[in-house]
Amino acid sequence: MDDINDIIEILKTLVGFKTVANEPNLDLIDWVENFLAAACFRIKRIPSPCGRKAGLLAKFGNGDGGILYSAHSDVVSTEGQDWTSDPFVLQRIGERVIGRGTTDMKGFLACVLAQARMCRDMPPAKPFMIALSWDEEIGCRGIPYMVDQVVPFLGCPDLVIVGEPTEMQLCLGHKGKVSYKAICYGEAGHSALAPNFKNALHVAAKFILETLDLQLKLAKSGARDDAYTIPYSTVHAGIVRGGVALNIVPERAEVSFEIRHLTKEDPANILNELDTNSESMEISTVYQYPGLSTNETDPVWKSLKALTNVPGPIKVAFGTEAGFFANIGLRTAVIGPGSMDGDGHQPDEGIDIDQLRKCSDFCRTLQHGLHSVLRVD
C-alpha cells in the first residue's frame, strides 16, 4: 500500500470515531494508543478531570530535541448542518475525501500517524513526538491539563508543529481569546407595570451597545497588526438569553461575549474599558487561550518555509493550541493541510488528497532533514 492509501485508511478510522467536542473521545484515544504502542512509542495518557476524555503524549527516540506534532482529537458538531452523506463515514469523491474532521484536523493526525508507523523500521535521527488533546474546539479546554507535562515526559523538542489547516502555509501568529458571561439583574414584575421595575434585558442591551462602542474605538485607535484580515482586537457579543414570559419583566439575562486580542494587548485592559462595576451585572471568565506571536526573525522559519513550497509566513484569524507551547518556551509554528475557510466546520467538510500528500511529504522531509532546518549559518 502506498503512503497516500495508508493515510486515507488511517483517516477513515479516525473519522469513524464520533469525537464531537464536549463528548467522550476514549475510543479514539484507545485506538491511537494501541497504534503507537505497536510502533514502539513510549506513551503517557492524560485523563480529563471528568474521566470521559483523555489526551496522549507519545515519543519515539531518546533525549531532547526532535519534532513534536500537535493535534486535537475533537471535531465540531454536525447538528443543524445539511450533509449529503454520513459525516462520520469517510467518502472518497475523485481527488477529495469527505467527512467530519478531515480538514480540522484528523487529516493532519492521519499523516503524522502514517509517518510514526515508519519510525520502527526507519528510525529518525532525533525524537518523533505527538501531543493529542481533547476539546480544543470549545476553547482549548484539554491542553492546559497537558502542557506542563510536555517537557518532563517528552524532553525539550527543537520544534513544535501544530497541524491546524493552513493549506500547508507557515503560520507564525494568531490572536488570543477570552470568553465571558455577563449576568444582568433586574426585578420581576407584571408587564402591565413594567416602568416600575428594572428590566434585565435593558441592562443587557445597554451592555451590548457598550461592547459595540468599544469595538469601534479599538478599530479606530487600538493596536494594529496588518498581517491579520481584521488588524485589531475585537469585542463580540454572540448570545443573549433572558425572560420567561412576555407579560413578566425579566429579572435575569445572560450575555455571552468574547475578546479576541492581539498579543500586544492585554484582554483585561480591554475588559476594563467596559462598565463592569454596576450592581446590576456580574462578569465571569468562561475560558481563554493565548495568542501566538512568533519571533519572525528566527532563521529557522526561512528554512522551514522552504520545505512547504507555498507562500508565507501568514497569520490566521482562528485560534489554536500553539500559544500554550510557545508560552513554555518552545519554538512553535502552525502548519497543516486543508483550508479552514473552505472546509472547516462546514457541511460536507472535506480535504483535497493533494493536501494530504503535501503534508506527508513535509513531515517526512522535516523529520529526516531537521538538522539542516535547525542549522544557522
Side-chain angles (χ1 to χ4, degrees), residues 248-267:
I248 300 175
V249 177
E251 64 177 336
R252 189 177 189 275
E254 296 182 3
V255 180
S256 294
F257 70 104
E258 67 176 24
I259 295 173
R260 291 183 183 259
H261 61 96
L262 299 173
T263 56
K264 63 182 72 174
E265 287 194 309
D266 186 340

Side-chain angles (χ1 to χ4, degrees), residues 32-278:
V32 172
E33 185 172 5
N34 290 333
F35 182 101
L36 292 173
C40 299
F41 276 69
R42 185 164 54 94
I43 301 162
K44 181 179 181 68
R45 179 186 284 235
I46 301 170
S48 68
C50 70
R52 299 167 62 240
K53 311 162 203 177
L56 292 178
L57 299 175
K59 181 176 184 177
F60 186 97
N62 297 311
D64 283 342
I67 304 170
L68 171 58
Y69 297 97
S70 169
H72 59 80
S73 61
D74 58 307
V75 298
V76 296
S77 174
T78 61
E79 186 175 352
Q81 294 187 338
D82 185 17
W83 285 70
T84 57
S85 60
D86 187 334
F88 299 100
V89 177
L90 191 73
Q91 306 287 332
R92 181 167 181 171
I93 302 175
E95 288 301 301
R96 278 175 64 80
V97 286
I98 309 296
R100 175 53 91 215
T102 47
T103 281
D104 187 15
M105 57 185 301
K106 290 178 176 179
F108 171 77
L109 179 57
C111 291
V112 170
L113 291 177
Q115 182 70 23
R117 183 149 60 186
M118 301 178 189
C119 287
R120 184 175 57 185
D121 297 328
M122 294 185 295
K126 300 189 98 175
F128 186 116
M129 294 162 283
I130 297 172
L132 181 58
S133 69
W134 71 91
D135 284 358
E136 185 272 351
E137 296 288 4
I138 52 175
C140 298
R141 304 287 184 90
I143 194 64
Y145 295 98
M146 299 177 60
V147 70
D148 289 342
Q149 301 184 55
V150 167
V151 173
F153 182 74
L154 298 176
C156 187
D158 295 308
L159 187 62
V160 180
I161 300 294
V162 179
E164 293 282 5
T166 66
E167 298 180 272
M168 295 308 298
Q169 296 176 93
L170 170 64
C171 168
L172 297 179
H174 64 73
K175 296 176 184 178
K177 174 180 172 179
V178 190
S179 168
Y180 304 94
K181 179 178 288 186
I183 307 298
C184 305
Y185 297 103
E187 303 165 299
H190 197 291
S191 64
L193 304 173
N196 294 337
F197 302 95
K198 179 185 289 186
N199 187 322
L201 284 175
H202 293 174
V203 178
K206 179 175 180 291
F207 178 73
I208 291 170
L209 290 176
E210 288 178 2
T211 67
L212 176 58
D213 289 341
L214 177 55
Q215 177 64 91
L216 295 173
K217 179 181 177 181
L218 290 169
K220 182 178 180 180
S221 58
R224 293 183 69 87
D225 185 338
D226 290 327
Y228 289 103
T229 303
I230 306 296
Y232 44 82
S233 298
T234 59
V235 184
H236 163 70
I239 302 173
V240 181
R241 296 187 179 96
V244 294
L246 184 57
N247 62 350
I248 300 175
V249 177
E251 64 177 336
R252 189 177 189 275
E254 296 182 3
V255 180
S256 294
F257 70 104
E258 67 176 24
I259 295 173
R260 291 183 183 259
H261 61 96
L262 299 173
T263 56
K264 63 182 72 174
E265 287 194 309
D266 186 340
N269 292 337
I270 296 175
L271 183 66
N272 286 339
E273 293 285 315
L274 297 168
D275 181 13
T276 60
N277 295 319
S278 169

Side-chain angles (χ1 to χ4, degrees), residues 279-311:
E279 294 181 357
S280 300
M281 181 184 299
E282 294 178 356
I283 293 181
S284 59
T285 299
V286 179
Y287 64 82
Q288 60 187 357
Y289 59 75
L292 176 68
S293 183
T294 299
N295 176 14
E296 296 184 32
T297 64
D298 186 338
V300 165
W301 302 130
K302 183 177 180 180
S303 299
L304 193 65
K305 177 188 171 297
L307 297 183
T308 67
N309 293 315
V310 292

